[in-house]
Amino acid sequence: MLKSFVLAAALAGVLPAAVAQTAFTVNGQFVSVEEQKQLMDFLRANGVTNEKQLKNAARSILLEQKIIEQAARNEGLLEDPRVRVLTSEKQAQL
């Protein structure tokens, strides 16, 4: 029911474009369709071929990532210089 309302509202132009391009939210934080698509492309390139598995895996990974990010932010860990270095290194690897 709620999904139908959100879809109808998005199609009607009632909701902002950011919400219309949202795959899902985690504790109020938007996860974009593009983020999900990029991860699905990565998983596909690494051997996952079943579309349902791709979508479920991408959703699960992004959900976990956002929850960890939110917890780190709430604990002030993102301000720690050591965490910033590790985060930068991991982003470079990706």
Side-chain angles (χ1 to χ4, degrees), residues 73-89:
R73 182 175 288 112
N74 291 341
E75 294 295 321
L77 294 175
L78 298 180
E79 303 306 317
D80 185 320
R82 295 170 296 175
V83 173
R84 285 185 180 182
V85 169
L86 290 172
T87 302
S88 295
E89 289 173 357

Side-chain angles (χ1 to χ4, degrees), residues 7-69:
L7 179 60
L11 292 175
V14 175
L15 297 177
V19 174
Q21 294 298 315
T22 300
F24 59 95
T25 61
V26 179
N27 297 328
Q29 184 178 4
F30 296 114
V31 177
S32 72
V33 171
E34 184 60 28
E35 281 180 277
Q36 187 172 10
K37 181 187 175 308
Q38 287 177 357
L39 184 52
M40 287 173 64
D41 289 345
F42 173 80
L43 294 170
R44 192 177 289 113
N46 285 282
V48 181
T49 57
N50 180 288
E51 287 299 314
K52 185 175 181 180
Q53 287 177 340
L54 275 168
K55 189 168 186 170
N56 287 340
R59 186 178 183 94
S60 178
I61 290 167
L62 289 167
L63 176 69
E64 185 176 307
Q65 178 186 20
K66 296 299 179 184
I67 289 171
I68 291 169
E69 181 182 319

